[in-house]
């Protein structure tokens, strides 16, 4: 968003916890705590977690959910990318907060025994630098919107 405000980008697609005015919602993805399908940390005295880096609202949401749980945890892994968190979870290093769209056969939603507080959905939004009716920009926005509406 800051790059848009500074005019460094004309258009951007990014994730937010809550859309702001001027951000068009393209997709909503519920978040959930996941673990490797072959590992369980239910009896771990200090739950290992894989989180996103500091400047990400996902990290804040995960920590809020962990703190509300009221049990010990430790940050075992931190990454800037979804693929990094997924890799740590798949390897059985930790559990992580991910969007349901990231689930696949190697991952599973954690058991209710973990007693996590609810987590927010991720919202994928599209925004532009200006509300100018620039034909190429409008064409790009339409193509992006159509790609999400068609499910591809």
């Amino acid at each position: 968003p800051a790059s848009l405000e500074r005019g460094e980008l004309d258009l951007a697609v990014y994730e937010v916890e809550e859309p702001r005015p001027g951000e068009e919602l393209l997709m909503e993805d519920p978040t959930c705590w996941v673990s490797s399908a072959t590992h369980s940390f239910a009896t771990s005295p200090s739950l290992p977690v894989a989180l996103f880096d500091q400047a990400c609202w996902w990290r804040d949401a995960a920590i809020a959910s962990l703190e509300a749980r009221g049990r010990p945890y430790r940050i075992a892994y931190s990454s800037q990318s979804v693929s990094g968190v997924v890799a740590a979870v798949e390897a059985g290093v930790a559990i992580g907060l991910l969007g349901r769209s990231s689930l696949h056969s190697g991952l599973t939603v954690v058991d209710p025994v973990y007693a996590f507080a609810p987590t927010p959905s991720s919202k994928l939004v599209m925004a532009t630098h200006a509300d100018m009716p620039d034909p190429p920009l409008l064409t790009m926005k339409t193509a992006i919107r159509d790609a999400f509406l068609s499910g591809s």
Side-chain angles (χ1 to χ4, degrees):
S3 294
L4 284 173
E5 292 167 9
R6 291 190 301 264
E8 297 169 354
L9 296 173
D10 292 329
L11 180 133
V13 176
Y14 51 94
E15 287 182 286
V16 296
E17 186 174 359
E18 287 302 325
R20 298 183 314 187
E23 295 175 333
E24 178 182 344
L25 181 65
L26 297 172
M27 183 183 92
E28 189 166 347
D29 191 13
T31 60
C32 55
W33 286 99
V34 299
S35 68
S36 163
T38 59
H39 291 83
S40 174
F41 297 102
T43 59
S44 294
S46 180
L47 185 64
V49 294
L51 301 178
F52 289 96
D53 283 341
Q54 298 287 344
C56 182
W57 71 265
W58 283 74
R59 184 184 185 96
D60 297 338
I63 289 174
S65 178
L66 288 161
E67 293 291 330
R69 187 173 170 257
R71 296 184 192 154
Y73 68 92
R74 64 182 172 81
I75 299 171
Y77 182 81
S78 185
S79 176
Q80 293 180 353
S81 70
V82 172
S83 59
V85 172
V86 167
V89 172
E90 282 179 326
V93 171
I95 66 166
L97 183 65
L98 294 167
R100 286 200 179 266
S101 64
S102 297
L103 290 176
H104 57 76
S105 62
L107 301 175
T108 186
V109 176
V110 298
D111 191 278
V113 72
Y114 287 90
F116 283 108
T119 56
S121 290
S122 173
K123 284 110 179 154
L124 189 68
V125 297
M126 175 172 54
T128 57
H129 168 62
D131 288 331
M132 301 174 5
D134 180 40
L137 187 59
L138 292 174
T139 301
M140 180 62 85
K141 286 177 70 174
T142 299
I144 292 169
R145 186 180 304 114
D146 290 349
F148 279 95
L149 290 176
S150 69
S152 43

